[in-house]
Structures are given as C-alpha cells and as structure tokens.
Amino acid sequence: MQMQAFIENYLAAEYALWVMAHTEPSDERFFAAAETFEALYFGPDLYSDISRPRHLDTEQFTHFRGLLAAKQKRLLYCVQEEPGLGRAVIGSVDAGSTQRFELLRIRMLQGKPKIVSSYLTNFDGTFSYSGGEDAGETLPDPC
C-alpha cells in the first residue's frame, strides 16, 4: 500500500504543479515549487517535464494561462507492488486522454519511495525505456 499511496500523492502534486505553472505569475515561486516537487518524488537522473517559459509579460502569461484547459490530472490504471519496488501505469496529462501513457518504476531510496524509471507506451501494450534506471529496453504492462 505504500507505493499506491505514494503514486496517488504524486499524481495530485503533479497536477497541482501544472496548475501552478499556468496560474502563478512569479517565476521564482513556481520554479522553487518545481524543485521541491522533483526532490520529493524523483530519484537520480529523472526530472519532471512540468515547466514554462520564464519572464512572460502580462499578455503572454494570460495566453499561457489559457493553456491549462488542455491539461488533466493523470489517470492511475494500476499499481503493482512488491517489497521495496512498485510499478504504476498512468495516463497522459492531455485533457480527455484515457490511454495508458507511462509506466513508472518506484523504489525505496534512503527509506523513501522515489520514481526511478520512466517507460513510455508502445502500440503493442508494452512500454519502452525513456529515462532513469534501465530495467530493460521494453517492459510488459504490469496491469
């Protein structure tokens, strides 16, 4: 259950950071929150793809804010858990998408769960290595 709770917290925090990226006008506050998010959820060699352009003027930020409508909290399809290791299959951040998009590998680092690998979906239902710890070029869907 520890990996299940971790990934559910991750997905909520990830969406909150997307919202902040599109609603917080301060670059300093947003990027500080993004660093905290990454330190809390990611192991070495992985990072979040949540970002935004710096130094947006008011008009640019208003336009960028409108892009939030294209985002959704990612769906959680399953979590497979074994002692010290978890695998989670999650959906896309693209609003309206219901497809399986990514397999995350989670393991305990210094006593805390961290996302250590990312694998992206293939058309055949498998997942191909994207970044972090390499657990094989292709992994099956654990669901």
Side-chain angles (χ1 to χ4, degrees), residues 64-137:
F64 187 72
R65 178 181 234 152
L67 299 176
L68 179 59
K71 308 283 188 230
Q72 69 181 359
K73 180 181 173 195
R74 298 210 266 176
L75 299 172
L76 175 60
Y77 290 96
C78 76
V79 177
Q80 182 188 56
E81 193 169 339
E82 52 194 70
L85 180 65
R87 290 172 202 84
V89 175
I90 60 177
S92 172
V93 72
D94 295 332
S97 175
T98 59
Q99 302 300 314
R100 293 170 188 235
F101 180 75
E102 187 174 15
L103 183 151
L104 300 175
R105 290 183 62 253
I106 307 147
R107 69 181 182 85
M108 301 301 285
L109 296 176
Q110 298 175 341
K112 296 180 182 177
K114 300 282 184 175
I115 298 168
V116 295
S117 302
S118 170
Y119 284 74
L120 300 178
T121 191
N122 294 317
F123 290 108
D124 66 359
T126 62
F127 293 85
S128 289
Y129 176 75
S130 175
E133 293 179 357
D134 187 349
E137 187 62 32

Side-chain angles (χ1 to χ4, degrees), residues 37-57:
F37 172 79
E38 287 184 4
L40 185 59
Y41 291 102
F42 291 95
D45 303 323
L46 279 181
Y47 54 89
S48 170
D49 64 353
I50 302 171
S51 190
R52 70 173 197 205
R54 290 183 183 265
H55 312 296
L56 296 174
D57 64 29

